[in-house]
Amino acid sequence: MIAGTAPSAAGPPGPVATGAERHRPSDGRLSATIRYTEHGIPHILARDYAELGFGTGWAQAADQVCVLADGFTTVRGERSRHFGPQGRSDGSLSSASTNLGSDLYFRGVRDARTVERLLGRPSPQGPSRQSKELVRGWAAGYNAWLKQNRITDPACRSADWVRPVSELDVARRLYALAVLGGEGGAVDGITDARPPTAGKAAAGAAADPARSARAARELFAAGKAGMGSNAVAFRGSTTANGRGLLLGNPHYPWHGGRRFWQSQQTIPGELNVSGGSLLGSPSVSIGFTDKVAWSHTVSTGVPLNLHQLTLDPADPTVYLVDGARERMTVRTVAVPLKDGSSVRRSQYRTRFGPVVTSLDAELPLPWSATTAYALNDPNAAHLRMTDAALGLARARSVRGVRQALDRAQGLPWVNTVAADSSGGTLFTQAQVLPRITDELAERCSTPLGRVVYPAAGLAVLDGSRGDCALGSDRDAAQPGIFGPGRMPVLQDAPYAVNSNDSAWLANADRPLTGYERVFGTVATERSLRTRGGTEDVSAMAARGGLTVADLQRQQFANRVPAADLAVADVVRACPAALPDEPEACAVLARWDRTTDTGSRGALLFDRFWQKLSALVPSGQLWKVPFSAADPTGTPNTLDTSRPGFAMALRQAVAELRSAGTPLDAPLGAHQYVVRGGERIPVPGGAGRLGVWNMIVGQWDPAKGAYTEVVHGTSHVQAVGWDGGRCPVARTLLTYAQSSDPRSPYFADQTRLFSGERWVTARFCERDILADPKLRVVRVRQ
């Protein structure tokens, strides 16, 4: 490793290799140049995709080696060996409730050679050569960093689970990310599945349709699993210079393996993209180039379906299809423990996928003598996510973005919102979904499915009928999924926005309809965050003359839509509800209805709203019900006559009083994170309040404060163009680049976030080389 501090140490990019030269360094060893600018943001310069992966793996390891190593322990199925079988997995790569459950699932993937099989498929059904080269290089870069550097992070400084990785390890991590919404979200139900014993077989308990519908609706509500997002694109007709604008605000975990990490990736003449990558990914997930910017939002599409199996009464591991008997495949998985012993469990698979006995604790799917359920996850049948990301990075317009997504068909659980330098906009729900048409659901749903599918988009099909197979679209990359022609798309609207509701109101003036229920709903009530965001961006578009500065203001407006709808009603009813607490009523009346760190009254309203939402069902909160004719204005008028209203107010006041928290305390004094002993105030608010800048905190009742952020605003980008060669971009990684408390990049951007300040992106060479904090590192195997 050679390090330098002078800009000239980097020099301009050398001649661009072509053809075979680009992929065969002369000595066979991989290398890359990493130019670090302020806040530790690496600009990775490479000759080919393998070397780009090499530089990316190196730089990610330098910032996040402990988090990455923990994730590789997960996908190897070795958590029980190192952390104990009953320890709780961090949930970054699956929903497993224990390390043992996690290991059973990932060892099952390994034993079945699932990832090897998917890697072996030729492109375009399988990953491209460039994608494989990125993975190869990433593994080599991570390993080179481990070999050449000393770990300083106390989280894993002397840990025996920090080991070199293989290309398969990296690919298995990408596979885990792809199936998070399907198999990965039902790990306990897969690994706990057991055929009924003779005694239990007679009981034959069945899934309850009404309860299952409620649980499925909650389970598949986008943003409920620690991930959400906002994104908006503005067409050139609404901007000051006729060029597009994009604001991306993903809401992801602040800890663990689903964090974003910033970089710029450059292969001269081939690729030049800047943005955020999910840890362990060799490509930019959300980002921008000199022509295009895009972001993703977690979608309402349900990326799995169930097949209800009719079993042979004589053998619950045999199911019937058109009267013919098919035996389940049984695989015994062994998980090693620290003491040298192992735990062995059998897993059961069918032609439809694994047998599953629950999707979560609230959605049991009992395996009886006559019935079992199999889970179909089409994202478990491909590894095209990296190719989708590469396609976005190479696109030159929103039309190119759409074409790239249509070609790759690799996004598992997100929508895409994009803008380009010519003034174009795009919203598309281009994701891999099981091909569940409404006609198929009507024809083939079981009694359970007839209740669950309309309520939640989760299809439960009759697995005993061959005519209930999912079928294929001619333009689909694999059997059993929708082709691009069936997906909701909105192109070149004045604005396109999404905040994790369905595609219906991507633009309130041009509603999208005609898509199948599995994609999401039409003409149904929107979340407060969708309502508030749509009001804001539609007003911005109508006003016109927009610039990147307007995007920055929107990100930190911290407006509370719930307060705009309800505070006046609360203040009017407050004296009667709190006759002995006039101060609380006065605090709410004076509150500025924002969640800025200095806002007084925001904490009291937040705690009141949280308790009210728990006490009063959502359908009973408002006097004026939802109307599809006014989807952003309804429901409205808080019903303060509900018994839960006064109770929620009293509980909120009592909670703060008991903790010694002033009712008018500034929000930032009681919503903060501690980094290196420093208390850093955090702006923003919970999704239940409708705040665009969403922050979900960890409440400490004794302190009367949110003392840590669980998930919320993460890698933010506000991007536009001015006609020059460089995009006009401002970024912010709220939790900073590194998880190592000894790193200078452990909390620096968190402080920026606290002060609602931004990083000016350095995209062009002249800007990178002009950074006074430039540090150049040449890395090599």
Side-chain angles (χ1 to χ4, degrees):
M1 181 179 72
I2 305 171
T5 57
S8 59
V16 179
T18 59
E21 286 182 306
R22 177 173 289 166
H23 301 284
R24 293 186 179 88
S26 58
D27 63 358
R29 297 169 67 191
L30 298 177
S31 63
T33 298
I34 306 174
R35 290 89 59 82
Y36 285 98
T37 57
E38 65 261 88
H39 305 293
I41 299 171
H43 304 258
I44 302 158
L45 184 63
R47 293 174 291 187
D48 58 42
Y49 285 97
E51 294 201 333
L52 188 65
F54 180 83
T56 303
W58 175 290
Q60 283 194 24
D63 287 326
Q64 297 283 350
V65 63
C66 293
V67 176
L68 288 165
D70 184 89
F72 287 120
T73 304
T74 296
V75 298
R76 288 182 180 126
E78 296 179 347
R79 298 194 66 85
S80 298
R81 173 187 290 173
H82 296 288
F83 311 129
Q86 298 309 312
R88 186 170 184 83
S89 181
D90 76 351
S92 295
L93 297 175
S94 83
S95 63
S97 59
T98 65
N99 289 330
L100 178 59
S102 174
D103 290 343
L104 287 167
Y105 175 74
F106 285 107
R107 290 220 160 220
V109 171
R110 187 204 64 178
D111 291 354
R113 298 181 62 80
T114 300
V115 174
E116 293 93 324
R117 187 175 68 254
L118 298 179
L119 286 170
R121 291 181 177 171
S123 179
Q125 287 76 27
S128 68
R129 178 178 57 82
Q130 292 91 341
S131 174
K132 292 179 181 178
E133 286 289 275
L134 274 176
V135 167
R136 178 172 75 87
W138 197 100
Y142 178 88
N143 292 340
W145 188 90
L146 279 182
K147 183 177 180 180
Q148 299 174 32
N149 291 274
R150 181 174 60 88
I151 296 174
T152 60
D153 189 342
C156 69
R157 187 164 44 210
S158 303
D160 60 356
W161 44 269
V162 182
R163 305 204 317 265
V165 300
S166 67
E167 296 171 42
L168 266 177
D169 288 330
V170 180
R172 285 170 180 151
R173 188 185 187 111
L174 295 172
Y175 177 86
L177 289 172
V179 301
L180 272 174
E183 285 189 10
V187 165
D188 287 348
I190 293 170
T191 60
D192 289 344
R194 304 282 183 279
T197 61
K200 291 184 178 180
D208 176 74
R211 175 185 172 186
S212 297
R214 288 191 299 271
R217 188 164 51 241
E218 180 71 15
L219 180 64
F220 294 107
K224 292 296 180 71
M227 296 192 300
S229 299
N230 308 304
V232 59
F234 290 102
R235 195 175 68 192
S237 60
T238 72
T239 69
N241 61 9
R243 302 180 184 279
L245 291 170
L246 179 118
L247 174 60
N249 170 217
H251 305 146
Y252 274 59
W254 274 40
H255 304 273
R258 257 184 274 165
R259 282 171 57 126
F260 281 106
W261 174 85
Q262 283 180 280
S263 71
Q264 182 177 3
Q265 296 183 319
T266 304
I267 304 173
E270 170 78 20
L271 183 78
N272 195 12
V273 59
S274 184
S277 304
L278 289 176
L279 285 179
S281 171
S283 57
V284 168
S285 308
I286 288 173
F288 58 91
T289 70
D290 62 331
K291 299 291 185 185
V292 174
W294 70 94
S295 196
H296 297 307
T297 60
V298 177
S299 78
T300 55
V302 179
L304 63 91
N305 72 280
L306 297 171
H307 293 266
Q308 186 168 323
L309 308 178
T310 298
L311 304 180
D312 183 338
D315 188 342
T317 65
V318 173
Y319 58 101
L320 307 177
V321 179
D322 292 336
R325 300 171 80 252
E326 292 191 19
R327 185 168 295 279
M328 298 173 185
T329 301
V330 185
R331 179 179 293 110
T332 300
V333 177
V335 173
L337 305 180
K338 194 168 187 175
D339 62 4
S341 64
S342 64
V343 174
R344 300 172 69 85
R345 296 279 191 277
S346 294
Q347 297 178 14
Y348 300 81
R349 294 191 68 88
T350 70
R351 64 156 72 179
F352 308 107
V355 177
V356 61
T357 51
S358 69
L359 294 185
D360 77 353
E362 299 301 316
L363 215 169
L365 299 164
W367 187 348
S368 72
T370 58
T371 302
Y373 298 87
L375 187 154
N376 170 51
D377 178 1
N379 286 294
H382 75 87
L383 282 174
R384 297 189 298 270
M385 189 164 62
T386 300
D387 282 303
L390 285 176
L392 292 169
R394 291 189 291 239
R396 308 301 289 165
S397 65
V398 294
R399 186 177 300 276
V401 167
R402 183 175 177 183
Q403 291 170 346
L405 294 177
D406 289 353
R407 183 168 54 250
Q409 298 181 39
L411 296 181
W413 30 262
V414 292
N415 308 303
T416 301
V417 178
D420 66 30
S421 61
S422 297
T425 62
L426 176 71
F427 164 87
T428 176
Q429 191 176 346
Q431 67 172 127
V432 176
L433 289 178
R435 190 180 174 278
I436 304 295
T437 64
D438 292 348
E439 181 277 330
L440 177 66
E442 175 64 27
R443 180 167 52 84
C444 288
S445 287
T446 65
L448 176 63
R450 292 190 183 281
V451 177
V452 173
Y453 181 72
L458 172 65
V460 186
L461 304 180
D462 187 346
S464 71
R465 293 169 48 189
D467 66 337
C468 291
L470 270 58
S472 296
D473 287 342
R474 294 183 63 183
D475 57 346
Q478 68 190 63
I481 67 172
F482 286 106
R486 307 288 290 271
M487 295 172 181
V489 177
L490 180 69
Q491 192 162 329
D492 290 334
Y495 70 85
V497 65
N498 186 264
S499 294
N500 306 127
D501 271 312
S502 69
W504 177 48
L505 288 190
N507 184 290
D509 299 319
R510 293 171 56 177
L512 289 172
T513 59
Y515 46 86
E516 310 290 346
R517 173 64 184 87
V518 70
F519 285 93
T521 59
V522 171
T524 57
E525 185 176 339
R526 306 288 91 174
S527 72
L528 283 173
R529 184 157 50 86
T530 291
R531 292 172 63 182
T534 302
E535 289 172 343
D536 289 348
V537 303
S538 61
M540 292 168 69
R543 186 173 72 246
L546 301 177
T547 67
V548 168
D550 291 296
L551 304 182
Q552 294 175 264
R553 281 189 286 272
Q554 168 62 20
Q555 177 58 40
F556 286 119
N558 291 327
R559 179 171 79 89
V560 181
D564 289 339
L565 285 170
V567 158
D569 296 325
V570 173
V571 170
R572 278 192 293 270
C574 185
L578 296 176
D580 300 324
E581 282 285 359
E583 182 188 358
C585 303
V587 167
L588 291 172
R590 292 193 302 266
W591 175 39
D592 64 4
R593 304 185 189 182
T594 76
T595 53
D596 292 332
T597 56
S599 296
R600 295 179 180 272
L603 184 66
L604 175 59
F605 184 82
D606 170 82
R607 298 308 297 164
F608 156 69
W609 198 255
Q610 187 270 338
K611 296 176 187 305
L612 182 68
S613 301
L615 290 168
V616 180
S618 59
Q620 299 176 20
L621 273 177
W622 309 99
K623 292 181 179 179
V624 177
F626 168 75
S627 168
D630 184 13
T632 60
T634 58
N636 62 52
T637 311
L638 189 69
D639 189 348
T640 58
S641 68
R642 296 284 175 185
F645 170 77
M647 184 180 297
L649 268 177
R650 289 194 296 270
Q651 288 179 354
V653 170
E655 180 178 53
L656 297 183
R657 293 281 194 213
S658 65
T661 300
L663 300 183
D664 66 344
L667 177 64
H670 296 272
Q671 181 170 279
Y672 57 83
V673 296
V674 177
R675 299 291 183 266
E678 175 189 359
R679 181 184 289 190
I680 303 174
V682 173
R688 62 178 174 267
L689 299 173
V691 181
W692 178 284
N693 181 27
M694 192 178 88
I695 288 294
V696 176
Q698 181 176 303
W699 180 253
D700 185 335
K703 295 181 178 179
Y706 292 105
T707 57
E708 185 52 78
V709 174
V710 179
H711 73 274
T713 292
S714 55
H715 178 264
V716 192
Q717 58 180 24
V719 186
W721 297 268
D722 62 5
R725 297 177 59 189
C726 309
V728 179
R730 306 290 182 266
T731 67
L732 187 61
L733 186 64
T734 56
Y735 35 66
Q737 281 282 86
S738 178
S739 291
D740 183 351
R742 301 192 179 192
S743 168
Y745 311 117
F746 175 63
D748 55 330
Q749 291 197 65
T750 309
R751 297 186 193 97
L752 293 182
F753 179 54
S754 177
E756 301 182 0
R757 292 173 288 155
W758 298 72
V759 176
T760 298
R762 295 179 181 272
F763 186 85
C764 286
E765 282 294 301
R766 67 169 185 260
D767 298 317
I768 296 169
L769 300 180
D771 184 356
K773 296 188 177 180
L774 179 68
R775 180 171 62 94
V776 181
V777 181
R778 294 187 177 92
V779 297
R780 189 177 183 86
Q781 277 183 306

